[in-house]
Amino acid sequence: MPDYSSLAATVASLTEGESDEVALMATLACELHHSDDRFDWTGFYRVTEPGLLKIGPYQGGHGCLKIPFDRGVCGAAARSGETQLVPDVDAFPGHIACASSTRSELVIPVRNGSGAVIGVLDIDSNQPDAFTPEDARQLEEILHSVFCGRP
Ligand code: SME
């Protein structure tokens, strides 16, 4: 598990004064991806129109371009506004396999200062059951500090 407090401090200093969502997402995807060997794909999907997610900044292999809200783990997170911690992607109905090597996944909704869901953070691992509720809690906090403090 990464040292989340130093990761949060690094992210805070790298994103200080920045309000552009894509710039923030690109910086976060890079820092998160290189913070832990469990993270094999780390990236964002953005809400580009009601009911549709489109790929944003990411690190790792190819990511699917579009995900409707009624599909996949990402769609479930955007639709429900709830974090999705998936220990076994084969057991998740409707999981979208962008990479056949993925075994487990963590998807967290991203909200802006008005509380609107502007996208999701998606992290895939080639390890089964790779993510813990503590990972989810710490990453939710980092996302809140980066995106909710901005208009
Ligand atoms: N597995 C995701 C799709 C995105 S890839 O993991 C990058 C899903 O089921 O929504």
Side-chain angles (χ1 to χ4, degrees):
M1 187 176 289
D3 172 354
Y4 280 111
S5 59
S6 68
L7 181 60
T10 303
V11 166
S13 70
L14 287 170
T15 59
E16 195 184 350
E18 183 54 64
S19 60
D20 178 79
E21 286 172 8
V22 172
L24 294 171
M25 289 176 176
T27 305
L28 258 176
C30 176
E31 286 307 308
L32 296 181
H33 191 68
H34 296 101
S35 73
D36 194 305
D37 293 343
R38 293 172 298 161
F39 303 172
D40 295 296
W41 192 95
T42 311
F44 290 87
Y45 282 85
R46 302 162 298 124
V47 178
T48 53
E49 59 188 79
L52 183 66
L53 293 163
K54 203 169 276 185
I55 198 148
Y58 67 93
Q59 302 265 331
H62 166 70
C64 311
L65 294 188
K66 293 180 194 172
I67 301 176
F69 275 32
D70 59 2
R71 293 201 55 217
V73 185
C74 294
R79 190 174 66 241
S80 66
E82 304 278 329
T83 292
Q84 308 289 313
L85 199 164
V86 181
D88 174 5
V89 293
D90 294 335
F92 189 96
H95 168 257
I96 303 166
C98 296
S100 58
S101 57
T102 299
R103 300 270 58 79
S104 56
E105 192 156 350
L106 176 61
V107 182
I108 304 175
V110 179
R111 289 184 168 82
N112 64 14
S114 326
V117 174
I118 58 171
V120 298
L121 168 66
D122 178 16
I123 307 178
D124 296 347
S125 181
N126 297 343
Q127 301 169 34
D129 200 9
F131 305 102
T132 68
E134 181 62 10
D135 286 312
R137 198 181 65 74
Q138 294 281 357
L139 291 165
E140 285 165 354
E141 233 172 76
I142 289 174
L143 291 172
H144 187 271
S145 68
V146 170
F147 291 97
C148 285
R150 295 154 216 257

